[in-house]
Amino acid sequence: MTSGIPAAVPQRLHEVELDVRDDLRNGREPFSRIMGAVDELPAEGVLHLRATFEPVPLFRVLGRKGFLHEARENAGEDWSVWFWRESQAAPESSPPATDDRGDKVAGIDGTPDTVVLDVRGLEPPEPMVRTLTALENLPAGYRLLQVNQRVPQFLLPILTERGYGYEIDERHPAGVVVQIWKLA
């Protein structure tokens, strides 16, 4: 256990601790647990995340939702990171379900009811974050085509859990193409 909240972290009424070290050591993706804790965090709350490494990509993801952070290495493979809202204002809305890098993907022709999302070259967990955000904003009846460098193994059980179907094409010239749709 760490020796309390760092001075940079505002003293809040409620600290929620989430320890994902066992998940990471056992190859389980903790992203959905982390985002669930963030969603349930009271306005004046602080999320104290325990991880086996400094989760730098998460800083950007939560930063877009209006969170600041403070990280501290406790020992080898033991990090504490505190996240808190910059203000009590509601977090910014999620970006639209598009490829915000503006890439055109060669050989991928989206139909009018398809959104193409190119996540090649992004560091984890960014491909999963962008895909889940795109799915949250996907209009009813639309499909999402995720273009990736590899099969998104950690994403697949989350899709099933959230009621999505998917097909994977590993032979596409652009890379691995995952077609995702909401099940009825």
Side-chain angles (χ1 to χ4, degrees):
M1 194 54 134
T2 62
S3 60
I5 298 175
V9 179
Q11 299 303 305
R12 303 290 178 136
L13 299 175
H14 188 71
E15 179 179 352
V16 174
E17 183 168 321
L18 178 61
D19 190 338
V20 297
R21 291 175 294 178
D22 283 341
D23 290 335
L24 293 166
R25 287 182 189 120
N26 292 307
R28 293 186 302 266
E29 176 59 55
F31 182 74
S32 59
R33 284 186 61 208
I34 295 167
M35 295 311 289
V38 167
D39 290 343
E40 294 177 14
L41 192 66
E44 289 293 317
V46 173
L47 175 62
H48 178 190
L49 179 67
R50 301 290 302 275
T52 58
F53 61 93
E54 184 177 17
V56 174
L58 191 59
F59 300 162
R60 186 178 36 218
V61 171
L62 293 181
R64 285 194 299 250
K65 290 183 168 281
F67 282 84
L68 298 174
H69 70 276
E70 177 76 20
R72 177 171 57 202
E73 184 175 18
N74 302 311
E77 294 193 3
D78 183 12
W79 282 80
S80 284
V81 184
W82 291 267
F83 293 97
W84 67 94
R85 288 180 180 85
E86 187 170 12
S87 69
Q88 292 186 33
E92 293 180 24
S93 61
S94 299
T98 60
D99 177 6
D100 61 3
R101 295 184 302 157
D103 294 344
K104 292 289 185 191
V105 180
I108 303 283
D109 295 318
T111 62
D113 61 350
T114 302
V115 173
V116 177
L117 180 67
D118 185 3
V119 297
R120 296 174 294 178
L122 299 176
E123 293 290 323
E126 199 65 25
M128 182 177 351
V129 170
R130 290 187 187 202
T131 301
L132 293 174
T133 299
L135 289 170
E136 288 174 7
N137 295 309
L138 196 66
Y142 275 60
R143 290 178 177 237
L144 179 70
L145 293 181
Q146 182 212 58
V147 183
N148 206 325
Q149 293 165 276
R150 64 188 69 79
V151 175
Q153 295 295 334
F154 292 123
L155 176 64
L156 302 179
I158 294 171
L159 293 176
T160 302
E161 174 183 300
R162 294 185 180 184
Y164 288 95
Y166 58 86
E167 289 180 3
I168 300 170
D169 180 358
E170 295 182 68
R171 292 177 276 154
H172 197 282
V176 175
V177 176
V178 183
Q179 185 176 167
I180 307 168
W181 64 92
K182 186 73 172 171
L183 297 172

